């Protein structure tokens, strides 16, 4: 297998550098000639360059067009804006694709589950339109809302705005159908809460139903998000592709990870018209960081998704098969899957299995 691809690698923080090194080992064993440019974001970049998302990191991704990144910590409630969200918005990576399939050798309650979450990645409550409680801006917003429509918000309320646009919906719906046709998926289930939020979720639902695109043979249905959640945990095999606005997509991705054996296994891609950034669904796992025990499989499978995106289909399949082989054998696994192997033990076993 040969390849000549430029890839920006952002190791991230927490377990990020550990799983990144593991993925790089496997990808280099699979495809020759990847030219890596390592750049930083998050706390590492802040310490070294005085900037959470340095321009040179964005520039490197714009040049290579493809990046793979480890997770980046977002301190809770600190006012620190999520670098993951900022990166997706800066590069307009509007579609997150997160396949959750049962892996051989990882027993789960439901046997074979094969789901794909397609999450709108730039709008909704994650767009970052925030008004802090008690701030002059929140006060102005309260006055304006009162004037506009007699809405009364409590003076001590913090406010997050939920924008969902026609254009933003249209492109994610088209993406979901294109993805489903290209990957021979059967049905798209859209999750929403349109009854409660008619102007945002309702718009998402209406545009998805009405948009005149070529839907091929792909079926389409919609479901209230709470109902969808209950059914997913009871009968996940009934579902196929899940199309979700940003916040629900974030939550349901983790639920789907739980259905197939945990966060350490689920890869992800953030795709836009121009750039693509691949990353696992899991976060920086501060509780296990620095100990070399994190499961690298989510990051390695994110690497396989990246290879497919780069046109290295054989390489991508080889990595996925090698992951199956190692999990099936069962002798080399990290502690989240009941084993005692290190992150690098797993990576080396997968790298060896790639070249039988
Ligand atoms: P998390 O995914 O980091 O961890 C949740 C639990 O899963 C922890 O017990 C952790 O040990 C376990 N876990 C996660 N990945 C694992 C792996 N590869 N192997 C073994 N166990 C694993 O979620 P969290 O604790 O809510 O978030 C921690 C930080 O990560 C937060 O700052 C959050 O904002 C950030 N985060 C970043 C991203 C990203 O960079 N894309 C995504 C999600 C969360």
């Amino acid at each position: 297998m040969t390849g000549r691809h430029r890839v920006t690698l952002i190791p991230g923080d927490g377990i990020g550098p550990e799983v990144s090194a593991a993925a790089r080992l496997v990808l280099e064993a699979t495809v020759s000639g990847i030219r890596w440019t390592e750049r930083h974001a998050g706390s590492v970049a802040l310490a070294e360059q005085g900037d959470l998302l340095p321009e040179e990191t964005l520039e490197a991704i714009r040049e290579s067009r493809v990046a793979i990144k480890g997770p980046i910590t977002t301190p809770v409630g600190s006012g620190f804006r999520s670098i993951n969200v900022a990166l997706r918005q800066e590069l307009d990576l509007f579609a997150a694709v997160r396949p959750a399939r049962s892996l051989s050798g990882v027993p789960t309650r439901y046997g074979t589950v094969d789901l794909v979450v397609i999450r709108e990645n730039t709008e909704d409550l994650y767009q970052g339109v925030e008004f802090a409680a008690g701030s002059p801006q929140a006060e102005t917003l309260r006055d304006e809302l009162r004037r506009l429509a007699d809405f009364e918000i409590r003076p001590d309320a913090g406010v997050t705005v939920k924008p969902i646009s026609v254009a933003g919906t249209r492109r994610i719906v088209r993406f979901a159908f294109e993805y489903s046709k290209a990957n021979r998926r059967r049905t798209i289930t859209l999750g929403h809460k349109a009854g409660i939020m008619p102007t945002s979720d309702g718009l998402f639902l209406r545009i998805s139903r009405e948009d005149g695109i070529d839907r091929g043979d792909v079926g389409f249905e919609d479901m209230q998000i709470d109902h969808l959640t209950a059914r997913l945990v009871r009968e996940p095999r009934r579902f196929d592709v899940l199309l979700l606005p940003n916040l629900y997509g974030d939550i349901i991705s983790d639920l789907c990870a739980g259905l197939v054996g945990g966060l350490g296994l689920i890869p992800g891609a953030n795709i836009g018209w121009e750039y693509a950034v691949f990353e696992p669904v899991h976060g920086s796992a501060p509780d296990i960081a620095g100990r070399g025990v994190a499961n690298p499989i989510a990051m390695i499978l994110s690497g396989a998704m990246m290879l497919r995106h780069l046109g290295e289909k054989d390489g991508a399949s080889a990595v996925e098969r090698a992951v199956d082989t190692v999990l099936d054998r069962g002798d080399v696994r990290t502690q989240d899957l009941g084993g005692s192997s290190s992150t690098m033990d797993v990576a080396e076993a997968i790298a060896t299995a790639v070249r039988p």
Side-chain angles (χ1 to χ4, degrees):
M1 288 163 229
T2 56
R4 198 139 298 274
H5 307 288
R6 295 178 65 191
V7 171
T8 301
L9 172 68
I10 302 171
D13 55 39
I15 61 170
E18 300 162 47
V19 295
S20 295
R24 184 166 173 169
L25 181 94
V26 172
L27 294 177
E28 284 179 349
T30 310
V31 170
S32 62
I34 296 181
R35 282 186 289 150
W36 302 94
T37 304
E38 193 168 312
R39 290 288 181 271
H40 294 290
S43 57
V44 181
L46 186 65
E48 288 176 6
Q49 292 155 269
D51 190 351
L52 286 163
L53 186 54
E55 187 51 39
E56 67 163 40
T57 300
L58 288 169
E59 210 35 59
I61 303 174
R62 289 194 186 103
E63 267 176 37
S64 59
R65 295 185 168 265
V66 173
I68 183 163
K69 71 173 272 292
I72 294 173
T73 305
T74 307
V76 176
S78 62
F80 174 110
R81 178 130 164 63
S82 165
I83 293 309
N84 303 303
V85 172
L87 191 65
R88 291 168 198 159
Q89 287 176 349
E90 278 289 333
L91 300 171
D92 203 17
L93 305 169
F94 65 87
V97 181
R98 298 170 160 188
R101 68 175 171 102
S102 304
L103 293 160
S104 50
V106 183
T108 54
R109 181 182 289 262
Y110 294 109
T112 323
V113 171
D114 182 8
L115 297 162
V116 179
V117 171
I118 296 186
R119 166 190 177 192
E120 199 291 323
N121 229 0
T122 56
E123 301 197 313
D124 192 357
L125 287 164
Y126 286 29
Q127 189 160 328
V129 187
E130 299 275 344
F131 295 87
S135 66
Q137 291 84 352
E139 203 46 48
T140 309
L141 182 69
R142 288 182 66 235
D143 293 344
E144 201 59 21
L145 289 173
R146 201 178 295 118
R147 196 182 62 76
L148 272 176
D150 229 8
F151 289 126
E152 192 55 50
I153 292 181
R154 291 198 176 114
D156 56 350
V159 180
T160 301
V161 177
K162 175 167 170 148
I164 291 189
S165 70
V166 172
T169 302
R170 214 164 248 158
R171 65 181 183 175
I172 193 69
V173 172
R174 284 170 187 238
F175 179 92
F177 276 98
E178 286 311 314
Y179 176 93
S180 298
K181 285 188 285 179
N183 292 279
R184 297 195 196 88
R185 308 294 306 204
R186 303 181 315 274
T187 309
I188 295 175
T189 306
L190 176 145
H192 64 89
K193 196 76 185 173
I196 305 294
M197 289 168 281
T199 56
S200 49
D201 281 25
L203 181 148
F204 194 76
L205 176 60
R206 182 170 55 78
I207 298 298
S208 304
R209 279 180 177 157
E210 291 171 2
D211 202 25
I213 46 171
D214 172 13
R215 296 175 182 235
D217 294 333
V218 181
F220 180 80
E221 62 177 359
D222 69 86
M223 220 174 265
Q224 298 264 354
I225 191 68
D226 38 358
H227 182 49
L228 171 59
T229 313
R231 293 194 67 177
L232 262 177
V233 295
R234 289 179 70 97
E235 41 177 345
R237 285 186 292 186
R238 180 217 176 274
F239 295 95
D240 187 20
V241 175
L242 305 171
L243 170 60
L244 300 160
N246 210 336
L247 172 67
Y248 309 144
D250 195 3
I251 298 166
I252 298 290
S253 303
D254 275 34
L255 187 153
C256 291
L259 287 171
V260 299
L263 279 166
L265 298 170
I266 304 302
N270 301 294
I271 313 268
W273 299 127
E274 293 189 67
Y275 312 110
V277 177
F278 297 81
E279 63 178 341
V281 170
H282 65 71
S284 57
D287 52 336
I288 56 166
R291 293 175 22 213
V293 298
N295 190 343
I297 289 178
M299 187 76 178
I300 291 169
L301 290 176
S302 304
M305 290 180 83
M306 181 180 81
L307 290 185
R308 194 163 280 119
H309 178 84
L310 290 168
E312 296 281 354
K313 292 191 178 120
D314 293 348
S317 302
V319 171
E320 286 160 356
R321 271 197 311 273
V323 167
D324 283 344
T325 303
V326 170
L327 283 174
D328 212 20
R329 235 171 39 209
D331 54 338
V332 184
R333 339 179 132 195
T334 42
Q335 62 183 27
D336 56 314
L337 298 179
S340 57
S341 309
S342 71
T343 306
M344 280 322 249
D345 288 340
V346 174
E348 274 157 23
I350 294 170
T352 306
V354 163
R355 334 182 207 89

